[in-house]
Amino acid sequence: MVRSGFVTPELDTRWFDPARLNVLIGILLFTAFLVVNIFRARAKGTLYVRPIAGLKALDEAIGRATEMGRPVLYVPGLSDMSEVGTFAAITICARLAYRVAEMGCDIDVPCYDPVVMTVLDGAVREAYSKAGKPDAFRPGCVHYVSAQQMAYVAAVNGFMLRELPAANIYMGSFYAESLLLAETGARTGAIQIAGTDKVTQLPFFVCACDYTLLGEELFAASAYLGREPIQLATVIAQDWAKALAAAAIVGALVLSALGHPALQTWLKVA
Amino acid sequence: MRRGPLLLTFLSGAAIAALFFIPHYRAQAANSMLLEWTLVVYAFALILGSISLWNSHARKVRNRAEGWGFSVVTLVSLLAITALGVWKGVGEGTPVDWIYNTVNSPLASTMFALLAFVIASAAFRAFRARSVEATLLLVTAIVMMIGRVSIGELISHRLPGITEWLLDVPNLAAKRAIAIGVGLGAVSTALKIILGIERSYLGRS
């Protein structure tokens, strides 16, 4: 339709995008894996999940901080609540704060995003209550710093050099600041544990930190730390989905090589 | 019981997920509106952030904690920028714009420039041949560094090709494997939150 020289675009009136059917099937399969594993977990009472060195080291890090009388620094990444990595960082922080409260250590959580700060403040406060030490919670331990990347780095690095935390934990989504933070932390002699879903930042953390959670391990961390069967069931569902994805990739590769690219085309996300 | 927040999380999470599959213009308009709401939430949270920043630094000044002078600078800057922004605006040519360009940007660039030095020191630590894997990393890094500069082609005309192969085959294979794991992990975390399995962000496990 042409009106006053402008072309009005056609309005989409479809209630389902068939090009995204593959994604829907994938999510439904994943949900089915999740439900099956939750039932398995309820029936068995426990499920085996391979040990993750970085997460086992968290207790060591908190213990070291307690013995040295120094704080634990928790950096929850530089993303907002729209990133799943930030959610993972929040859940890990809640579990970590519980252990910190139990061991009578101090924690400092500088935040880049004010919404994340508000959520983290509530989560840490509740973790202290759950540990039976609500009075040990220090108001201001979760605090806002800056929404500017380099200003945030300057503030956190300054904290590391002045307060000399015994353990630096970096979890969440990181960008160019990853190495600036981790390298400063390494120079202070702190034990450093990092985890990120940003593949480009992983090498920097691997170089500068004692332990690094690679990609999916970040998302498994909360379940691993909680050790609740239903939480662990989600990790196993994730492994099943990964096996299915690997099978689909190999299948698509073989079929394409044989001149049938239909599966490869269908797997592409619109 | 926190049924309210859990129900709200389920409904909003399920709605946003459903909107990914619905291209109808009304559904997409609703999607845009929901995203605009997050800006309103952010604006209110920014007030909480500013209060947190003020309290954190005011406490340091009050207690004369180490480095309290920096906190004074932060508090004065916060007040000055806020006052100037309200009084003169924040557009081009305003005092806030001038301060941003002449103070903030050079400081941020200085911090960013430090990256070159920390990369060198991190590489020095990582490239020590302590194990088979570290030696492999060291050799690969040397090949990559030489192969990506002009002298690499002078040493051997095959070096640039080798670096391209290293990037496109073993490196990309590892990157994609991690990316698939990250994607599945993200879906898993999202489902856990939507279905109420993961509640620690609410302060409950």
Side-chain angles (χ1 to χ4, degrees):
Chain A
M1 187 191 341
V2 178
R3 190 186 295 160
S4 307
F6 293 100
V7 178
T8 309
E10 287 284 324
L11 293 173
D12 200 331
T13 52
R14 292 172 304 157
W15 287 99
F16 182 71
D17 185 357
R20 288 179 174 174
L21 181 66
N22 51 2
V23 181
L24 183 64
I25 290 174
I27 289 176
L28 290 176
L29 275 174
F30 196 104
T31 312
F33 292 162
L34 200 63
V35 172
V36 168
N37 278 295
I38 286 171
F39 278 112
R40 280 182 67 217
R42 279 189 178 152
K44 282 187 181 178
T46 183
L47 291 169
Y48 175 76
V49 176
R50 72 174 168 86
I52 300 173
L55 294 173
K56 285 177 84 175
L58 275 176
D59 273 340
E60 184 195 327
I62 300 168
R64 186 172 182 259
T66 312
E67 278 174 15
M68 294 172 83
R70 289 186 191 164
V72 171
L73 174 69
Y74 187 89
V75 183
L78 272 78
S79 275
D80 55 23
M81 294 299 287
S82 64
E83 288 269 348
V84 185
T86 306
F87 270 100
I90 291 167
T91 57
I92 297 167
C93 184
R95 310 259 185 206
L96 187 82
Y98 178 78
R99 301 264 176 101
V100 162
E102 271 188 329
M103 295 180 92
C105 182
D106 191 21
I107 188 169
D108 195 88
V109 188
C111 297
Y112 173 83
D113 184 275
V115 181
V116 175
M117 180 209 76
T118 313
V119 177
L120 272 171
D121 187 64
V124 172
R125 197 182 291 266
E126 288 275 345
Y128 270 78
S129 296
K130 199 179 149 202
K133 295 182 179 175
D135 295 337
F137 175 77
R138 179 171 56 85
C141 68
V142 181
H143 56 97
Y144 179 67
V145 175
S146 171
Q148 285 192 8
Q149 186 186 32
M150 291 303 150
Y152 180 84
V153 172
V156 176
N157 283 358
F159 177 85
M160 283 181 198
L161 295 169
R162 280 192 302 274
E163 306 288 330
L164 298 172
N168 298 332
I169 321 283
Y170 313 95
M171 296 284 168
S173 299
F174 290 88
Y175 304 92
E177 71 288 344
S178 61
L179 191 61
L180 285 168
L181 293 169
E183 191 57 20
T184 307
R187 283 175 192 202
T188 62
I191 184 167
Q192 300 207 101
I193 303 169
T196 184
D197 54 347
K198 299 293 174 201
V199 183
T200 48
Q201 302 306 319
L202 280 172
F204 298 129
F205 279 139
V206 170
C207 283
C209 294
D210 299 290
Y211 300 95
T212 307
L213 304 182
L214 302 174
E216 63 184 313
E217 290 176 345
L218 172 74
F219 299 112
S222 176
Y224 185 92
L225 292 170
R227 306 303 300 180
E228 291 130 17
I230 291 179
Q231 288 271 0
L232 294 175
T234 64
V235 179
I236 294 175
Q238 206 173 308
D239 281 350
W240 283 19
K242 204 160 58 179
L244 183 72
I249 289 168
V250 173
L253 189 73
V254 171
L255 285 173
S256 294
L258 294 172
H260 303 286
L263 182 60
Q264 189 195 348
T265 312
W266 188 79
L267 284 173
K268 281 182 184 166
V269 177
Chain B
M1 293 297 283
R2 294 191 175 183
R3 283 188 184 153
L6 283 175
L7 188 67
L8 198 64
T9 306
F10 173 76
L11 291 175
S12 50
I16 293 283
L19 287 170
F20 176 75
F21 300 102
I22 305 172
H24 197 284
Y25 70 97
R26 284 194 179 152
Q28 289 310 310
N31 194 16
S32 303
M33 190 181 69
L34 283 172
L35 292 177
E36 279 170 21
W37 286 2
T38 61
L39 292 178
V40 179
V41 174
Y42 187 87
F44 278 102
L46 202 57
I47 297 170
L48 290 176
S50 303
I51 294 169
S52 163
L53 186 73
W54 181 270
N55 286 342
S56 168
H57 287 278
R59 198 177 298 119
K60 275 185 193 168
V61 174
R62 226 178 10 250
N63 297 338
R64 295 289 187 274
E66 192 184 347
W68 65 273
F70 298 118
S71 293
V72 173
V73 174
T74 306
L75 294 175
V76 171
S77 305
L78 180 69
L79 281 178
I81 288 285
T82 309
L84 281 171
V86 171
W87 182 33
K88 295 275 187 180
V90 293
E92 208 173 315
T94 57
V96 172
D97 181 52
W98 183 82
I99 291 170
Y100 184 84
N101 289 328
T102 54
V103 180
N104 200 310
S105 288
L107 284 173
S109 303
T110 306
M111 281 304 296
F112 195 71
L114 288 175
L115 202 54
F117 301 102
V118 296
I119 281 178
S121 64
F124 177 74
R125 198 175 321 111
F127 294 162
R128 273 178 291 184
R130 287 168 297 186
S131 59
V132 179
E133 290 89 350
T135 312
L136 203 62
L137 185 70
L138 173 67
V139 172
T140 314
I142 290 171
V143 172
M144 280 301 300
M145 283 189 281
I146 296 174
R148 301 293 280 182
V149 291
S150 313
I151 200 168
E153 199 157 4
L154 286 174
I155 294 168
S156 167
H157 70 279
R158 286 185 180 170
L159 259 179
I162 293 171
T163 59
E164 287 302 317
W165 181 84
L166 282 170
L167 278 176
D168 294 345
V169 183
N171 172 62
L172 195 61
K175 265 176 81 172
R176 284 188 178 163
I178 295 172
I180 289 171
V182 166
L184 290 169
V187 173
S188 168
T189 304
L191 279 175
K192 277 193 287 183
I193 290 165
I194 290 172
L195 299 175
I197 296 169
E198 177 62 71
R199 302 173 186 190
S200 49
Y201 69 98
L202 291 172
R204 286 184 59 162
S205 58

